[in-house]
Amino acid sequence: MTSAPARTEDSSPTSTPRPRTGARRLLLPALVLLAFVPPMGIDMYLPAFPRMADEFRTDPSGIQLTLTAFVIGLALGQLVLGPLSDRYGRRTLILAGTAVCAAATAACAFAPTLEALTALRFVTGFSAAAGVVVGRAVISDTAEGPAAARMFGILMALSGIAPITAPLIGGVVTSVAGWRAVWGTLAAGLLLTLLVALVGVPESLQPERRHAGGLRATVSTARSLLTDRIYLGYTFAFGFGFAALFCYIAASPFFLQYVLGLTVRQSAVAFAAGALVATLSSAVNARLVGRGVVRPAILLRLGLAGMLVSTAGLLAVTLAGALGRAVTVAPLLLFFVGLGMIMGNATALALQRARQAAGSGSAVLGTLQGFLAGVTAPLMGLGGRDVAVPLFAGMTVCVTIAALALLLTREAHSRES
């Protein structure tokens, strides 16, 4: 890894210029709003999938490709913008990315074809990456260890409001004004996010701590991260855990409406309920970590165990032909409880291994997340609208890989014990 320049007396963390009191108070709300962007961009139009498929005369996989375009853009954006923030700083990239995302989202409302919408979704994903990858780096700039895990846990808990409210808002807007109006609503929210970030996000990376060297230094940093077994273990746990969630996200509109027989609004409420459980789980997780009650690594393992039990159980029930509304509730709730325990902890533990280049470390983390999500989304529609086997098989495989990835972190666990 290309090491950071040696610190001088003037380059200590305490010498970072502090924003005004009002701006400091807006930092966490700004980071939360920036973290809202991907889940709002993903979940808000989920209830409209069947209507979009009808209008564009395509199958579920065709509509799910717009989701794939977004997450691939999100992944590539993180890969590019994370290292750039290590070199040029955090604030400018956050503001520019949010502005572009707002403009591209507004343009989605006028997309004449599915191909045009798919291209615009790629642009929105790429630009939305700025707030996500650089926002994580801002936290890593200012905290470490349990403090960082607590901050990430709080961020995950608060940002969990987005997947709760997004499908509800999207369901109402779609029912009242059609699916195109969803994009206008989302663009207005992005403009608000831009204003709050403009006031509340300071520059957290001092010039003395920035990495020069361009592409060669970026490649060197990435190579060093990709040979760190512990970093990779936590990164794979995060990435494949999120991929399991994305299997559900991509398939849930058709699963809830065609397999379980829910209406558009009922499916939006059902999806929001899962997000609420994950949010509450994240909040409890952040409190436990912040008070030092349980180490983040232990909570991470417990969360993955719960997710594995729930997904494997749902797959078994589906293969047995006994799937129904009643038998899906408890396993899905357990899945979302486990999800709330892994996202913040895995992020903090991975980035703890990349503190000298938090932007690059965050970029690798987010790129894997986006790549896996992009691959899984269209696969969920291969069985058709009323088949659930691909959904629960995909979720089970992803969680199994995430759990096995923790074997790479045994060295870290042995040092802690």
Side-chain angles (χ1 to χ4, degrees), residues 220-259:
S220 176
T221 299
R223 185 186 302 117
S224 184
L225 290 172
L226 294 175
T227 56
D228 185 335
R229 287 167 53 95
I230 297 174
Y231 172 82
L232 287 178
Y234 291 130
T235 296
F236 284 138
F238 173 87
F240 281 95
F242 182 83
L245 169 65
F246 214 79
C247 290
Y248 180 76
I249 289 174
S252 63
F254 301 99
F255 169 68
L256 295 172
Q257 293 179 42
Y258 289 95
V259 177

Coordinates of all heavy atoms in Angstrom, one line a residue, residues 220-259:
S220 N -1.7 0.5 -6.6 CA -0.9 0.0 -5.6 C -1.7 -0.2 -4.3 O -1.6 -1.2 -3.6 CB 0.3 0.9 -5.4 OG 1.1 0.5 -4.3
T221 N -2.5 0.9 -4.0 CA -3.3 0.8 -2.8 C -4.3 -0.3 -2.8 O -4.5 -1.1 -1.9 CB -4.0 2.1 -2.6 OG1 -3.1 3.2 -2.4 CG2 -4.9 2.1 -1.3
A222 N -5.0 -0.5 -4.0 CA -6.0 -1.5 -4.2 C -5.3 -2.9 -4.1 O -5.9 -3.8 -3.5 CB -6.7 -1.4 -5.5
R223 N -4.1 -3.0 -4.7 CA -3.4 -4.3 -4.6 C -3.1 -4.7 -3.2 O -3.2 -5.9 -2.8 CB -2.2 -4.3 -5.4 CG -1.4 -5.6 -5.5 CD -0.1 -5.5 -6.2 NE -0.2 -4.9 -7.6 CZ 0.3 -3.8 -8.0 NH1 1.0 -3.0 -7.1 NH2 0.1 -3.4 -9.2
S224 N -2.7 -3.7 -2.4 CA -2.4 -4.0 -1.0 C -3.6 -4.4 -0.2 O -3.5 -5.3 0.6 CB -1.7 -2.7 -0.4 OG -1.3 -3.0 1.0
L225 N -4.7 -3.8 -0.5 CA -6.0 -4.1 0.2 C -6.4 -5.5 -0.2 O -6.9 -6.3 0.7 CB -7.1 -3.1 -0.1 CG -6.9 -1.7 0.5 CD1 -8.0 -0.8 -0.1 CD2 -7.1 -1.8 2.0
L226 N -6.3 -5.9 -1.4 CA -6.7 -7.1 -1.9 C -5.9 -8.3 -1.5 O -6.2 -9.5 -1.8 CB -6.9 -7.1 -3.5 CG -8.0 -6.2 -4.0 CD1 -7.9 -6.1 -5.5 CD2 -9.3 -6.6 -3.5
T227 N -4.7 -8.0 -0.9 CA -3.9 -9.1 -0.4 C -4.0 -9.2 1.2 O -3.3 -10.0 1.8 CB -2.4 -8.9 -0.8 OG1 -2.0 -7.6 -0.4 CG2 -2.3 -9.0 -2.3
D228 N -4.8 -8.4 1.7 CA -5.1 -8.4 3.2 C -6.2 -9.3 3.5 O -7.4 -9.0 3.3 CB -5.4 -6.9 3.7 CG -5.5 -6.8 5.2 OD1 -5.8 -7.8 5.8 OD2 -5.3 -5.7 5.7
R229 N -5.9 -10.5 4.0 CA -6.9 -11.5 4.3 C -8.0 -11.0 5.2 O -9.2 -11.3 5.0 CB -6.3 -12.8 4.9 CG -5.4 -13.6 3.9 CD -4.6 -14.6 4.6 NE -5.4 -15.4 5.5 CZ -5.9 -16.6 5.2 NH1 -5.6 -17.1 4.0 NH2 -6.6 -17.3 6.1
I230 N -7.6 -10.3 6.2 CA -8.6 -9.9 7.2 C -9.6 -8.8 6.6 O -10.8 -8.9 6.7 CB -8.0 -9.3 8.5 CG1 -7.1 -10.4 9.1 CG2 -9.0 -8.7 9.4 CD1 -6.3 -9.9 10.3
Y231 N -9.0 -7.9 5.8 CA -9.8 -6.9 5.1 C -10.8 -7.6 4.2 O -12.0 -7.3 4.1 CB -8.9 -5.9 4.4 CG -9.7 -5.0 3.5 CD1 -10.3 -3.8 4.0 CD2 -9.8 -5.2 2.1 CE1 -11.0 -3.0 3.1 CE2 -10.5 -4.4 1.3 CZ -11.1 -3.3 1.8 OH -11.9 -2.5 1.0
L232 N -10.3 -8.6 3.4 CA -11.1 -9.3 2.4 C -12.2 -10.1 3.1 O -13.3 -10.1 2.6 CB -10.2 -10.2 1.6 CG -9.3 -9.5 0.5 CD1 -8.5 -10.6 -0.2 CD2 -10.2 -8.8 -0.5
G233 N -11.9 -10.7 4.3 CA -12.9 -11.4 5.0 C -14.1 -10.6 5.4 O -15.3 -11.0 5.1
Y234 N -13.8 -9.4 6.0 CA -14.9 -8.5 6.4 C -15.6 -7.9 5.1 O -16.8 -7.7 5.1 CB -14.4 -7.4 7.3 CG -14.0 -7.9 8.6 CD1 -12.7 -7.6 9.2 CD2 -14.8 -8.8 9.4 CE1 -12.3 -8.1 10.4 CE2 -14.4 -9.2 10.6 CZ -13.2 -8.9 11.1 OH -12.8 -9.3 12.4
T235 N -14.8 -7.7 4.1 CA -15.4 -7.1 2.9 C -16.3 -8.1 2.2 O -17.4 -7.7 1.8 CB -14.3 -6.6 1.9 OG1 -13.5 -5.6 2.6 CG2 -14.9 -6.1 0.6
F236 N -15.9 -9.3 2.1 CA -16.8 -10.3 1.5 C -18.0 -10.6 2.3 O -19.1 -10.8 1.8 CB -16.0 -11.7 1.3 CG -15.1 -11.6 0.1 CD1 -13.8 -12.2 0.2 CD2 -15.5 -11.1 -1.1 CE1 -12.9 -12.2 -0.9 CE2 -14.6 -11.0 -2.2 CZ -13.3 -11.6 -2.1
A237 N -17.9 -10.6 3.7 CA -19.0 -10.7 4.5 C -20.0 -9.6 4.3 O -21.3 -9.9 4.2 CB -18.6 -10.8 6.0
F238 N -19.5 -8.4 4.2 CA -20.4 -7.3 3.9 C -21.0 -7.4 2.5 O -22.3 -7.3 2.3 CB -19.6 -6.0 4.0 CG -20.4 -4.7 3.5 CD1 -21.1 -4.0 4.4 CD2 -20.3 -4.3 2.2 CE1 -21.8 -2.9 4.0 CE2 -21.0 -3.2 1.8 CZ -21.8 -2.5 2.7
G239 N -20.2 -7.7 1.5 CA -20.7 -7.7 0.1 C -21.7 -8.8 -0.1 O -22.8 -8.5 -0.7
F240 N -21.4 -10.0 0.3 CA -22.4 -11.1 0.1 C -23.6 -11.0 1.0 O -24.7 -11.5 0.6 CB -21.7 -12.5 0.2 CG -20.9 -12.8 -1.0 CD1 -19.5 -12.6 -1.1 CD2 -21.5 -13.4 -2.1 CE1 -18.8 -12.9 -2.2 CE2 -20.8 -13.8 -3.2 CZ -19.4 -13.5 -3.3
G241 N -23.4 -10.4 2.2 CA -24.6 -10.2 3.0 C -25.6 -9.2 2.3 O -26.8 -9.4 2.3
F242 N -25.0 -8.2 1.7 CA -25.8 -7.2 1.0 C -26.4 -7.9 -0.3 O -27.6 -7.6 -0.6 CB -25.0 -6.0 0.6 CG -25.8 -4.9 -0.1 CD1 -26.6 -4.0 0.6 CD2 -25.8 -4.9 -1.5 CE1 -27.3 -3.1 -0.1 CE2 -26.5 -3.9 -2.2 CZ -27.3 -3.0 -1.5
A243 N -25.7 -8.7 -0.9 CA -26.2 -9.4 -2.1 C -27.4 -10.2 -1.8 O -28.4 -10.3 -2.6 CB -25.1 -10.3 -2.7
A244 N -27.4 -10.9 -0.6 CA -28.6 -11.6 -0.1 C -29.8 -10.7 0.0 O -30.9 -11.0 -0.4 CB -28.3 -12.3 1.2
L245 N -29.6 -9.5 0.6 CA -30.6 -8.5 0.7 C -31.1 -8.1 -0.7 O -32.3 -7.9 -1.0 CB -30.2 -7.3 1.4 CG -31.1 -6.0 1.4 CD1 -32.4 -6.3 2.1 CD2 -30.4 -4.8 2.0
F246 N -30.2 -7.9 -1.7 CA -30.5 -7.5 -3.0 C -31.3 -8.5 -3.8 O -32.1 -8.2 -4.6 CB -29.3 -7.0 -3.8 CG -29.6 -5.9 -4.7 CD1 -29.6 -4.6 -4.2 CD2 -29.8 -6.1 -6.0 CE1 -29.9 -3.5 -5.0 CE2 -30.1 -5.0 -6.8 CZ -30.1 -3.7 -6.3
C247 N -31.1 -9.8 -3.5 CA -31.9 -10.8 -4.1 C -33.4 -10.6 -3.7 O -34.3 -10.6 -4.5 CB -31.5 -12.2 -3.6 SG -29.9 -12.8 -4.2
Y248 N -33.6 -10.3 -2.4 CA -34.9 -10.0 -1.9 C -35.5 -8.7 -2.5 O -36.6 -8.6 -3.0 CB -34.9 -9.9 -0.4 CG -36.3 -9.6 0.2 CD1 -37.3 -10.6 0.2 CD2 -36.6 -8.3 0.6 CE1 -38.5 -10.3 0.8 CE2 -37.9 -8.1 1.2 CZ -38.8 -9.1 1.2 OH -40.1 -8.8 1.7
I249 N -34.6 -7.6 -2.6 CA -35.1 -6.4 -3.2 C -35.5 -6.5 -4.6 O -36.6 -6.0 -5.0 CB -33.9 -5.3 -3.1 CG1 -33.7 -4.9 -1.6 CG2 -34.3 -4.1 -3.9 CD1 -32.5 -4.0 -1.4
A250 N -34.7 -7.2 -5.4 CA -35.0 -7.4 -6.8 C -36.3 -8.2 -7.1 O -37.1 -7.9 -8.0 CB -33.9 -8.0 -7.6
A251 N -36.5 -9.2 -6.2 CA -37.6 -10.2 -6.5 C -38.8 -9.8 -5.7 O -39.9 -10.3 -6.0 CB -37.1 -11.6 -6.1
S252 N -38.7 -9.0 -4.7 CA -39.9 -8.8 -3.8 C -41.1 -8.2 -4.4 O -42.2 -8.6 -4.0 CB -39.4 -7.9 -2.6 OG -39.1 -6.6 -3.0
P253 N -41.0 -7.3 -5.4 CA -42.3 -6.8 -6.0 C -43.1 -7.9 -6.6 O -44.3 -8.0 -6.5 CB -41.8 -5.8 -7.0 CG -40.5 -5.4 -6.6 CD -39.9 -6.6 -5.9
F254 N -42.4 -8.8 -7.3 CA -43.1 -10.0 -7.9 C -43.5 -11.1 -6.9 O -44.6 -11.6 -7.0 CB -42.3 -10.5 -9.1 CG -42.0 -9.5 -10.1 CD1 -40.7 -8.8 -10.1 CD2 -42.9 -9.1 -11.1 CE1 -40.4 -7.9 -11.1 CE2 -42.6 -8.2 -12.0 CZ -41.4 -7.5 -12.0
F255 N -42.6 -11.3 -6.0 CA -42.8 -12.3 -4.9 C -44.0 -11.9 -4.1 O -44.9 -12.7 -3.9 CB -41.6 -12.5 -4.1 CG -41.8 -13.3 -2.8 CD1 -42.1 -14.6 -2.9 CD2 -41.8 -12.7 -1.6 CE1 -42.3 -15.4 -1.7 CE2 -42.0 -13.4 -0.4 CZ -42.2 -14.8 -0.5
L256 N -44.0 -10.7 -3.6 CA -45.1 -10.2 -2.7 C -46.5 -10.1 -3.5 O -47.5 -10.5 -2.9 CB -44.8 -8.9 -2.1 CG -43.6 -8.9 -1.2 CD1 -43.2 -7.5 -0.7 CD2 -43.8 -9.8 0.1
Q257 N -46.4 -9.7 -4.7 CA -47.7 -9.4 -5.4 C -48.2 -10.7 -6.2 O -49.4 -10.9 -6.2 CB -47.5 -8.3 -6.4 CG -47.3 -6.9 -5.7 CD -47.1 -5.8 -6.7 OE1 -47.8 -5.7 -7.7 NE2 -46.1 -4.9 -6.4
Y258 N -47.3 -11.5 -6.7 CA -47.7 -12.6 -7.5 C -47.7 -13.9 -6.8 O -48.5 -14.8 -7.1 CB -46.9 -12.7 -8.8 CG -47.2 -11.6 -9.8 CD1 -46.5 -10.4 -9.8 CD2 -48.3 -11.7 -10.7 CE1 -46.8 -9.4 -10.7 CE2 -48.6 -10.7 -11.6 CZ -47.9 -9.5 -11.6 OH -48.2 -8.5 -12.4
V259 N -46.7 -14.1 -5.9 CA -46.7 -15.4 -5.1 C -47.6 -15.3 -3.9 O -48.3 -16.2 -3.6 CB -45.2 -15.7 -4.7 CG1 -45.1 -17.0 -3.9 CG2 -44.3 -15.9 -6.0

